[in-house]
Amino acid sequence: MEPTTAPSGQQKDTRTVDTLTITDNRTGKQYEIPIDNGTVKAIDLRQIKVDAEDFGMMTYDPAFMNTASCKSKITFIDGDKGILRYRGYPIDELAERCSYLETAYLLIHGELPNKAQLEEWTNNITTHTFVHENIKKFMDGFHYDANPMGMFVSTIAALSTFYPSAKKIHDPQERMLTIYRLIGKVPTLAAFAYRHSIGMPYVHPDNELTYAENFLNMMFKVAEPKYKPNAVLAKALDILFILHADHEQNCSANAMRSVGSSHVDPYSAAAAAAAALYGPLHGGANAEVLYMLDEIGSKDKIPAFIREVKDGKGKLMGFGHRVYKNYDPRAKIIKKLADQVFEVTGRNPKLDIALELERIALEDDYFVKRKLYPNVDFYSGLIYQAMKFPVDMFPVLFAIGRMSGWLAQWQELLLDPEQKIARPRQVYLGYDKREVVSLSKR
Ligand code: SDX
């Protein structure tokens, strides 16, 4: 049943409409601008003009620090309270009581599946884990030391050439088929990228295994006739996929929506989202944390490193967040998960440096004043490394989980009657009209 009030407690669609009274001191004119869901529509400001020639008022908001680009019912975050919910369910409950595929179903369909729905959903995804054999030739074209995230981004885009019918984005069946294919194939593409980088043969999916078990199979199977996944590690990976599944309008979701708004096929939009996630400020941060811990080397070097960060000579990777001004709820869950994984794999010695780094940072006014806390990327890499994933695979692991969130955001965009092709305006500060001077006179 749809919620009647937005999580922030404001009345939803049925509430009385409030207004903002704006006085333009340049003209003395007053304007009544409607307030809707705690926002004003930027387009309502265009009526504010100094004369008939005036284009009208716009808002200027680099990096969208204070701009809602869409209305969404998928994920709710309260940055001050450290709250994260998918379709109203708290992230810690989903991590504890659901599987990743259940959570992916929730993100896409809006409700948790019943037993029959989950069986059908799991079967549809499992029967789409294979990729066309030509994808292997595509992968083989990369250098042996190609970054696996670079390979992943390119291969997601390449999938669009194998499934031209995905362009029928207004056909619900075609959309759902692509959703099955992308969620089903991303672990295969990720594992193939890794196997290529270590010169090992590709391992085909084993559809008798669960989603996370099969990914471990395709990553780490050697000569044994059937890969036997470690149940604790497979469960930990499944939980990590849940924690990474969606995060409302983050940089890569914005890329998925912006590129998807041109009505391109979803493979191309997902490749753009994966490219955005690759950035060290976004999904690439989980790898940067490990590089940072390696650079620090030992606990006694932490004070000097912190001083460098405070002098502006670098960032404390895995810390800070545009929305969370409190502890990222996902980081808390990951920190607990680390203990379970390390019982199987042995403790990652870098955990001691990370814990000390966190302790010092959370006592230091520079970080406290800026409300910088560990985010999802601070501890996740320690688990991945303990599970024998190479560091440059970490952003790929993030992308596997996030694929279901990107697809949920993409589908919501397509079905939103208020959405059109994304085309922001600008504040032009360049030259006024001027004449070309001939080359001989320049
Ligand atoms: C993800 O958006 C999402 O939801 C993303 C994500 C998801 O699930 O999709 O949660 C996943 O991307 C998590 C973030 C991973 N990135 C990192 O860990 C990289 C390190 N973090 C920073 O780069 C930064 O905190 C961001 C990019 C995450 C957020 O940047 P903002 O919101 O633009 O904040 P800012 O850069 O304007 O920082 C405000 C101040 C600045 O100092 P002053 O100029 O005010 O003096 O805080 C400082 C920054 O220098 N600061 C940091 C810092 N992060 C911010 N200083 C040191 N170390 C840091 N990590």
Side-chain angles (χ1 to χ4, degrees), residues 65 77 243-244 246-252 277 280-283 285-286 289 309 314-325 328 330 366-367 370 372 375-377 398 402:
M65 296 288 282
I77 302 174
L243 297 177
H244 287 82
D246 192 60
H247 214 238
E248 55 127 289
Q249 302 315 313
N250 57 82
C251 181
S252 53
L277 189 75
L281 295 185
H282 191 12
N286 52 19
V289 169
V309 169
K315 287 186 182 295
L316 181 47
M317 299 311 275
F319 258 67
H321 201 277
R322 172 66 54 77
V323 177
Y324 290 124
K325 299 309 170 194
D328 184 331
R330 301 167 296 178
Y366 176 93
F367 299 93
R370 292 168 175 79
L372 302 176
N375 59 48
V376 67
D377 293 312
F398 195 140
R402 187 54 57 89

Side-chain angles (χ1 to χ4, degrees), residues 108-128:
I108 298 286
H109 292 287
E111 298 295 341
L112 281 168
N114 62 32
K115 200 167 175 313
Q117 288 164 330
L118 182 58
E119 268 167 30
E120 187 192 6
W121 172 255
T122 302
N123 184 49
N124 279 321
I125 287 168
T126 306
T127 51
H128 285 96

Side-chain angles (χ1 to χ4, degrees), residues 23 40 44 56 91 95 97 102 119 176 193 202-203 215 234 270 306 323 349 352 372-373 381 402 405 430:
T23 301
V40 291
D44 286 348
I91 190 68
R97 304 175 64 183
E102 262 180 292
E119 268 167 30
M176 202 42 73
Y202 300 122
V203 174
F215 177 56
I306 293 279
V323 177
D352 298 323
L372 302 176
Y373 291 89
R402 187 54 57 89

